[in-house]
């Protein structure tokens, strides 16, 4: 059974700091890994998707890396801003017949202080 | 492109009552997922459809939860009777069967409070 762990559970940083969020998973037979952002009371917004054959993906100030063999992914946020305050979730997808099945971590709640 | 639609957005019921949630996925998305997200936790998959067939319902409490996806488009999730521990956000997501990305797109969720 796939298990996904995110550390730390909460993180508070001053504005402008670079930071790293961690995600680990127990079964390396994944198809892809997705990082999501969730604002309070809202649904999930996809940030980055990394295919199992890829090592990293970048979007603006965000960079996600994947080391499938060790079961780890990191989300790097550069020059953090108060608007980055949210909960960040990672999810690994495995194939279930010809459909993807995702397992989520419990998230890291980020607070960026002005 | 319109996103995943869900209704209602909020629902408050008493325990032992029944409730139903509705989801309309992104047009053309064959795969539809229902997740339960308890406060402070990540989403947990309840049921997964591909077109109108069930792919995975291993974590669905079948004694009280049911779901259907008629005509392979929109879907309803029902709880009957509700328990206090069912208080959570119910998220619907959809994805293409594109054999490449399997990227999921989420709706805004329905927040259920059982009193």
């Amino acid at each position: 059974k796939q298990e996904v762990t995110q550390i730390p559970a909460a993180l508070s940083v001053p504005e402008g700091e670079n930071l790293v969020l961690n995600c680990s998973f127990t079964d390396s037979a994944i198809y892809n890994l997705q990082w999501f952002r969730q604002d309070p009371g809202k649904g999930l917004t996809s940030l980055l998707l990394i295919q199992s054959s890829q090592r990293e993906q970048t979007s603006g100030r965000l960079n996600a890396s994947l080391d499938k063999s060790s079961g780890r992914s990191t989300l790097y946020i550069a020059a953090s801003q108060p608007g980055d305050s949210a909960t960040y979730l990672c999810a690994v997808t495995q194939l279930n017949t010809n459909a993807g099945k995702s397992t989520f971590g419990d998230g890291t709640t980020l607070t960026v202080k002005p | 492109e319109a996103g995943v639609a869900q209704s209602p957005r909020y629902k408050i019921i008493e325990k032992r009552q029944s409730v139903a949630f509705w989801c309309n996925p992104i047009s053309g998305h064959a795969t539809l997922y229902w997740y339960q997200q308890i406060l402070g936790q990540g989403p947990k998959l309840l049921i997964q459809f591909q077109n109108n067939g069930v792919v995975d319902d291993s974590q669905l409490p079948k004694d009280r939860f049911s779901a259907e996806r008629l005509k392979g488009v929109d879907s309803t999730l029902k709880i009957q009777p509700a328990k206090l521990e069912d208080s959570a956000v119910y998220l619907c997501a959809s994805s293409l069967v594109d054999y490449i990305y399997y990227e999921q797109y989420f709706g805004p969720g329905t927040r259920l409070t059982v009193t």
Side-chain angles (χ1 to χ4, degrees), chain B residues 36-92:
Chain B
Q36 180 192 59
Q37 186 177 24
I38 293 171
L39 187 64
Q41 298 181 17
K44 182 186 80 173
L45 180 68
L46 292 175
I47 188 167
Q48 178 181 347
F49 293 94
Q50 187 148 308
N51 297 307
N52 59 349
V54 175
V55 174
D56 187 332
D57 63 357
S58 58
Q59 297 191 87
L60 186 74
K62 298 181 184 64
D63 58 334
R64 298 183 302 105
F65 286 65
S66 64
E68 61 181 9
R69 190 183 185 197
L70 299 176
K71 300 180 182 178
V73 182
D74 52 355
S75 175
T76 56
L77 176 69
K78 297 179 181 178
I79 307 175
Q80 181 179 17
K83 293 185 175 182
L84 295 176
E85 59 261 37
D86 297 332
S87 293
V89 175
Y90 291 84
L91 295 164
C92 179

Side-chain angles (χ1 to χ4, degrees), chain A residues 36-45 82-88, chain B residues 108 111:
Chain A
F36 293 88
R37 171 185 172 135
Q38 187 173 33
D39 292 288
K42 300 291 180 65
L44 277 66
T45 301
D84 295 331
S85 298
T87 296
Y88 292 81
Chain B
R111 182 175 298 276

Side-chain angles (χ1 to χ4, degrees), chain A residues 34-100:
Chain A
Q34 213 168 341
W35 282 94
F36 293 88
R37 171 185 172 135
Q38 187 173 33
D39 292 288
K42 300 291 180 65
L44 277 66
T45 301
S46 179
L47 298 174
L48 290 164
L49 182 149
I50 311 176
Q51 294 291 96
S52 63
S53 59
Q54 297 175 321
R55 298 284 294 186
E56 63 179 331
Q57 282 285 346
T58 298
S59 176
R61 295 181 294 109
L62 305 180
N63 176 275
S65 69
L66 174 63
D67 184 343
K68 197 173 74 163
S69 61
S70 67
R72 295 177 188 270
S73 176
T74 61
L75 179 66
Y76 174 82
I77 303 177
S80 59
Q81 303 170 357
D84 295 331
S85 298
T87 296
Y88 292 81
L89 295 150
C90 73
V92 295
T93 297
Q94 297 173 287
L95 291 187
N96 186 343
T97 62
N98 61 347

